[in-house]
Amino acid sequence: MRYAAMIQARCDSSRLPGKVLMDLGGKPVLRRVIERVQRSRNVDEVFVVTSIGKENLPVLRLCADLGVRVFAGAEADVLDRYYQMAKLVKPDYVIRVTADCPCYDWRLLDQAIETVGADMDYLWDADETLPDGLDLEIIGFHALERSWKEARLSSEREHVTQYVRKHPELFCIQNFRCPISGISNLRWTLDEPEDYLLLKEIYRYFLEQGNEYFLTEDILALLKERPELCKLNAKYARNEGLQKSLREDKIVELL
Protein backbone atom coordinates (compact mmCIF):
# COMPACT_ATOMS: atom_id res chain seq x y z
CA MET A 1 0.00 0.00 0.00
CA ARG A 2 1.19 3.50 -0.81
CA TYR A 3 0.55 6.30 1.68
CA ALA A 4 0.79 9.98 0.71
CA ALA A 5 0.68 12.61 3.45
CA MET A 6 -0.79 15.90 2.25
CA ILE A 7 -0.38 18.99 4.40
CA GLN A 8 -2.85 21.79 3.72
CA ALA A 9 -1.26 25.20 4.17
CA ARG A 10 -2.08 28.79 3.23
CA CYS A 11 -0.94 32.20 4.40
CA ASP A 12 -4.23 34.08 4.71
CA SER A 13 -5.72 32.43 7.77
CA SER A 14 -8.51 34.63 9.13
CA ARG A 15 -7.71 34.12 12.82
CA LEU A 16 -3.91 34.20 12.68
CA PRO A 17 -2.66 35.42 9.26
CA GLY A 18 0.68 34.00 8.16
CA LYS A 19 0.70 31.40 10.93
CA VAL A 20 2.20 28.64 8.76
CA LEU A 21 5.35 30.75 8.28
CA MET A 22 5.74 31.91 11.88
CA ASP A 23 9.09 31.08 13.43
CA LEU A 24 9.41 28.18 15.86
CA GLY A 25 12.96 27.79 17.06
CA GLY A 26 14.53 29.04 13.85
CA LYS A 27 12.28 27.23 11.35
CA PRO A 28 8.84 28.15 9.92
CA VAL A 29 5.88 26.28 11.37
CA LEU A 30 5.20 24.58 8.04
CA ARG A 31 8.74 23.23 7.88
CA ARG A 32 8.36 21.86 11.40
CA VAL A 33 5.19 20.03 10.36
CA ILE A 34 6.76 18.69 7.15
CA GLU A 35 9.84 17.39 8.91
CA ARG A 36 7.84 15.69 11.65
CA VAL A 37 5.55 13.93 9.16
CA GLN A 38 8.58 12.89 7.10
CA ARG A 39 9.86 10.92 10.10
CA SER A 40 7.06 8.39 9.62
CA ARG A 41 8.36 4.99 8.54
CA ASN A 42 5.13 4.21 6.68
CA VAL A 43 4.57 7.39 4.65
CA ASP A 44 5.93 7.17 1.12
CA GLU A 45 5.99 10.91 0.38
CA VAL A 46 4.91 14.18 1.95
CA PHE A 47 3.18 16.84 -0.17
CA VAL A 48 1.78 20.31 0.47
CA VAL A 49 -1.57 21.48 -0.93
CA THR A 50 -2.16 25.22 -0.96
CA SER A 51 -4.37 27.70 -2.77
CA ILE A 52 -3.70 29.84 -5.81
CA GLY A 53 -2.79 33.41 -4.84
CA LYS A 54 0.32 35.54 -4.59
CA GLU A 55 0.05 35.54 -0.80
CA ASN A 56 1.02 31.85 -0.88
CA LEU A 57 4.21 32.34 -2.89
CA PRO A 58 6.29 31.98 0.32
CA VAL A 59 4.73 28.53 0.81
CA LEU A 60 5.77 27.55 -2.73
CA ARG A 61 9.31 28.87 -2.15
CA LEU A 62 9.67 26.98 1.11
CA CYS A 63 8.51 23.75 -0.50
CA ALA A 64 10.94 24.28 -3.39
CA ASP A 65 13.80 24.82 -0.94
CA LEU A 66 12.87 21.62 0.91
CA GLY A 67 12.31 19.55 -2.22
CA VAL A 68 8.66 18.94 -1.31
CA ARG A 69 6.12 18.66 -4.11
CA VAL A 70 3.24 21.12 -3.85
CA PHE A 71 -0.15 21.62 -5.52
CA ALA A 72 -1.91 25.01 -5.70
CA GLY A 73 -5.65 24.91 -6.26
CA ALA A 74 -9.00 26.45 -5.33
CA GLU A 75 -9.11 28.75 -2.29
CA ALA A 76 -12.35 27.48 -0.73
CA ASP A 77 -12.48 23.97 -2.20
CA VAL A 78 -9.84 22.17 -0.15
CA LEU A 79 -11.39 18.82 -1.07
CA ASP A 80 -10.65 19.58 -4.72
CA ARG A 81 -7.02 20.39 -3.86
CA TYR A 82 -6.61 17.05 -2.15
CA TYR A 83 -8.29 15.12 -4.93
CA GLN A 84 -6.38 16.79 -7.76
CA MET A 85 -3.05 16.08 -6.04
CA ALA A 86 -4.08 12.52 -5.23
CA LYS A 87 -5.17 11.97 -8.81
CA LEU A 88 -1.67 12.94 -9.95
CA VAL A 89 0.31 10.77 -7.53
CA LYS A 90 -2.18 7.87 -7.21
CA PRO A 91 -1.69 6.69 -3.61
CA ASP A 92 -3.82 3.99 -2.04
CA TYR A 93 -4.38 6.21 1.00
CA VAL A 94 -4.12 9.92 1.69
CA ILE A 95 -3.15 11.19 5.12
CA ARG A 96 -4.68 14.59 5.81
CA VAL A 97 -2.51 16.91 7.88
CA THR A 98 -3.05 20.60 8.59
CA ALA A 99 -0.09 22.98 8.77
CA ASP A 100 -1.13 24.31 12.18
CA CYS A 101 0.07 21.15 13.98
CA PRO A 102 3.80 21.69 14.72
CA CYS A 103 3.78 19.06 17.49
CA TYR A 104 2.53 16.36 15.10
CA ASP A 105 3.47 12.90 16.38
CA TRP A 106 4.62 10.65 13.53
CA ARG A 107 4.70 7.62 15.81
CA LEU A 108 0.95 7.87 16.40
CA LEU A 109 0.51 8.14 12.64
CA ASP A 110 2.54 4.96 12.16
CA GLN A 111 0.46 3.18 14.79
CA ALA A 112 -2.71 4.27 13.00
CA ILE A 113 -1.42 3.12 9.60
CA GLU A 114 -0.52 -0.26 11.05
CA THR A 115 -4.15 -0.76 12.17
CA VAL A 116 -5.67 0.00 8.75
CA GLY A 117 -8.08 -2.77 7.79
CA ALA A 118 -8.25 -4.33 4.33
CA ASP A 119 -11.61 -2.71 3.53
CA MET A 120 -11.12 0.56 5.37
CA ASP A 121 -12.18 3.78 3.63
CA TYR A 122 -11.49 6.26 6.40
CA LEU A 123 -9.73 6.28 9.79
CA TRP A 124 -9.94 9.07 12.34
CA ASP A 125 -10.04 9.86 16.04
CA ALA A 126 -13.83 9.83 16.17
CA ASP A 127 -13.98 10.20 19.95
CA GLU A 128 -11.48 13.11 20.01
CA THR A 129 -9.11 11.31 22.37
CA LEU A 130 -6.01 13.06 20.98
CA PRO A 131 -4.90 16.56 21.96
CA ASP A 132 -6.04 19.26 19.55
CA GLY A 133 -3.10 19.51 17.14
CA LEU A 134 -2.34 15.78 16.93
CA ASP A 135 -5.30 15.07 14.64
CA LEU A 136 -5.16 11.84 12.60
CA GLU A 137 -7.06 11.23 9.36
CA ILE A 138 -6.40 8.59 6.71
CA ILE A 139 -8.72 8.32 3.72
CA GLY A 140 -8.68 5.80 0.89
CA PHE A 141 -8.29 7.22 -2.60
CA HIS A 142 -11.64 5.88 -3.79
CA ALA A 143 -13.43 7.38 -0.78
CA LEU A 144 -11.72 10.70 -1.49
CA GLU A 145 -12.78 10.48 -5.11
CA ARG A 146 -16.39 9.70 -4.22
CA SER A 147 -16.44 12.60 -1.77
CA TRP A 148 -15.08 14.89 -4.47
CA LYS A 149 -17.87 13.82 -6.84
CA GLU A 150 -20.76 13.89 -4.38
CA ALA A 151 -20.07 16.47 -1.64
CA ARG A 152 -22.22 19.57 -2.18
CA LEU A 153 -22.07 21.54 1.07
CA SER A 154 -19.44 24.25 1.48
CA SER A 155 -18.34 22.73 4.80
CA GLU A 156 -17.76 19.39 3.06
CA ARG A 157 -15.60 21.03 0.39
CA GLU A 158 -13.62 23.07 2.91
CA HIS A 159 -13.03 20.38 5.53
CA VAL A 160 -12.29 17.50 3.11
CA THR A 161 -13.55 14.50 5.10
CA GLN A 162 -16.91 15.79 6.32
CA TYR A 163 -18.84 13.97 3.60
CA VAL A 164 -17.35 10.62 4.63
CA ARG A 165 -18.07 11.27 8.31
CA LYS A 166 -21.70 12.07 7.54
CA HIS A 167 -22.26 8.91 5.49
CA PRO A 168 -21.16 5.85 7.47
CA GLU A 169 -23.63 3.83 5.42
CA LEU A 170 -21.49 4.44 2.34
CA PHE A 171 -18.01 4.01 3.75
CA CYS A 172 -16.08 1.63 6.00
CA ILE A 173 -14.99 3.91 8.82
CA GLN A 174 -12.43 2.93 11.46
CA ASN A 175 -11.87 4.62 14.81
CA PHE A 176 -8.41 5.34 16.23
CA ARG A 177 -8.04 6.04 19.94
CA CYS A 178 -5.07 7.71 21.56
CA PRO A 179 -2.96 5.13 23.41
CA ILE A 180 -2.47 7.66 26.21
CA SER A 181 -5.70 8.32 28.09
CA GLY A 182 -6.93 11.57 29.58
CA ILE A 183 -5.16 14.09 27.33
CA SER A 184 -7.95 15.10 24.93
CA ASN A 185 -8.42 18.45 26.72
CA LEU A 186 -4.93 19.64 25.72
CA ARG A 187 -4.45 22.12 22.88
CA TRP A 188 -1.25 22.07 20.82
CA THR A 189 -2.60 23.55 17.60
CA LEU A 190 -1.84 27.01 16.17
CA ASP A 191 -4.92 29.16 15.56
CA GLU A 192 -4.64 31.98 18.08
CA PRO A 193 -1.84 34.24 19.44
CA GLU A 194 -1.98 32.37 22.76
CA ASP A 195 -1.39 29.09 20.93
CA TYR A 196 1.78 30.60 19.50
CA LEU A 197 2.98 31.59 22.97
CA LEU A 198 2.58 28.01 24.17
CA LEU A 199 4.22 26.46 21.12
CA LYS A 200 7.18 28.86 21.29
CA GLU A 201 7.73 27.86 24.91
CA ILE A 202 7.51 24.16 24.07
CA TYR A 203 10.04 24.49 21.26
CA ARG A 204 12.36 26.74 23.29
CA TYR A 205 12.44 24.21 26.10
CA PHE A 206 13.19 21.16 23.96
CA LEU A 207 15.62 22.86 21.59
CA GLU A 208 17.66 23.99 24.59
CA GLN A 209 17.87 20.29 25.50
CA GLY A 210 18.95 19.37 21.97
CA ASN A 211 15.66 17.51 21.43
CA GLU A 212 14.25 18.86 18.16
CA TYR A 213 11.96 15.89 17.57
CA PHE A 214 10.30 15.67 20.97
CA LEU A 215 7.40 13.26 21.44
CA THR A 216 3.95 13.45 22.96
CA GLU A 217 5.24 11.95 26.20
CA ASP A 218 7.95 14.62 26.36
CA ILE A 219 5.38 17.43 26.12
CA LEU A 220 3.25 15.79 28.79
CA ALA A 221 6.27 15.61 31.10
CA LEU A 222 6.96 19.31 30.50
CA LEU A 223 3.35 20.27 31.21
CA LYS A 224 3.36 18.21 34.39
CA GLU A 225 6.41 20.16 35.50
CA ARG A 226 4.97 23.49 34.35
CA PRO A 227 1.15 23.19 34.48
CA GLU A 228 0.75 26.96 34.11
CA LEU A 229 1.58 26.60 30.41
CA CYS A 230 -1.75 24.85 29.78
CA LYS A 231 -3.56 27.99 30.90
CA LEU A 232 -2.12 30.09 28.07
CA ASN A 233 -4.68 28.89 25.49
CA ALA A 234 -7.19 27.01 27.63
CA LYS A 235 -10.05 29.41 26.81
CA TYR A 236 -10.31 28.30 23.19
CA ALA A 237 -12.74 25.61 22.07
CA ARG A 238 -11.80 22.73 19.83
CA ASN A 239 -12.70 22.81 16.10
CA GLU A 240 -13.77 26.46 16.04
CA GLY A 241 -13.08 26.67 12.30
CA LEU A 242 -15.32 23.70 11.54
CA GLN A 243 -18.11 25.01 13.76
CA LYS A 244 -18.00 28.35 11.95
CA SER A 245 -18.22 26.57 8.58
CA LEU A 246 -21.21 24.54 9.73
CA ARG A 247 -23.02 27.68 10.92
CA GLU A 248 -22.43 29.33 7.52
CA ASP A 249 -23.05 26.20 5.44
CA LYS A 250 -24.48 26.44 1.95
CA ILE A 251 -24.87 24.33 -1.18
CA VAL A 252 -22.17 25.04 -3.75
CA GLU A 253 -22.25 24.61 -7.49
CA LEU A 254 -19.40 22.53 -8.88
CA LEU A 255 -17.86 22.99 -12.30
Side-chain angles (χ1 to χ4, degrees), residues 236-249:
Y236 293 108
R238 192 177 190 128
N239 297 326
E240 287 179 322
L242 173 60
Q243 296 307 317
K244 180 176 183 293
S245 295
L246 293 174
R247 289 193 300 270
E248 300 172 357
D249 228 351

Side-chain angles (χ1 to χ4, degrees), residues 28-229:
V29 168
L30 177 56
R31 180 171 179 178
R32 292 292 184 191
V33 179
I34 290 170
E35 291 179 346
R36 292 179 76 86
V37 179
Q38 285 176 330
R39 293 181 72 84
S40 165
R41 62 176 178 267
N42 293 320
V43 170
D44 294 280
E45 189 171 355
V46 177
F47 304 88
V48 169
V49 289
T50 189
S51 55
I52 296 172
K54 63 182 181 180
E55 70 277 3
N56 291 316
L57 286 175
V59 170
L60 301 181
R61 294 191 193 102
L62 176 61
C63 291
D65 291 342
L66 298 176
V68 172
R69 288 200 276 176
V70 60
F71 178 86
E75 171 67 27
D77 197 343
V78 188
L79 175 56
D80 184 66
R81 284 188 240 159
Y82 269 84
Y83 175 66
Q84 297 301 335
M85 185 55 146
K87 190 168 65 170
L88 289 173
V89 300
K90 295 180 171 58
D92 298 292
Y93 293 98
V94 170
I95 298 154
R96 182 190 177 211
V97 183
T98 55
D100 52 11
C101 298
C103 295
Y104 196 87
D105 193 329
W106 65 93
R107 296 169 317 136
L108 293 174
L109 172 58
D110 282 336
Q111 288 180 34
I113 290 173
E114 288 160 10
T115 69
V116 167
D119 299 322
M120 190 211 77
D121 293 311
Y122 178 59
L123 177 148
W124 69 307
D125 176 23
D127 300 321
E128 294 186 343
T129 61
L130 292 161
D132 194 357
L134 296 190
D135 309 36
L136 274 174
E137 290 187 274
I138 304 172
I139 184 169
F141 175 78
H142 294 295
L144 180 68
E145 184 173 53
R146 182 167 185 175
S147 298
W148 177 78
K149 290 178 179 178
E150 299 178 2
R152 289 295 180 271
L153 293 176
S154 56
S155 63
E156 296 168 347
R157 309 302 297 191
E158 180 183 357
H159 294 278
V160 183
T161 56
Q162 284 296 301
Y163 183 79
V164 178
R165 294 185 189 185
K166 291 177 182 177
H167 294 282
E169 76 281 4
L170 301 179
F171 302 98
C172 179
I173 298 177
Q174 187 173 326
N175 189 19
F176 178 84
R177 293 186 61 83
C178 180
I180 305 170
S181 62
I183 62 173
S184 63
N185 62 306
L186 299 173
R187 180 181 171 94
W188 302 341
T189 190
L190 178 58
D191 273 326
E192 306 287 351
E194 293 88 343
D195 295 331
Y196 186 48
L197 294 177
L198 173 61
L199 291 166
K200 282 199 300 183
E201 188 60 25
I202 289 173
Y203 265 87
R204 184 198 63 78
Y205 176 84
F206 288 113
L207 289 174
E208 286 181 356
Q209 294 188 335
N211 182 10
E212 185 173 11
Y213 297 108
F214 50 87
L215 304 171
T216 298
E217 293 88 344
D218 297 324
I219 304 176
L220 293 174
L222 169 62
L223 297 180
K224 184 177 181 180
E225 182 180 320
R226 296 186 56 190
E228 73 278 4
L229 292 177

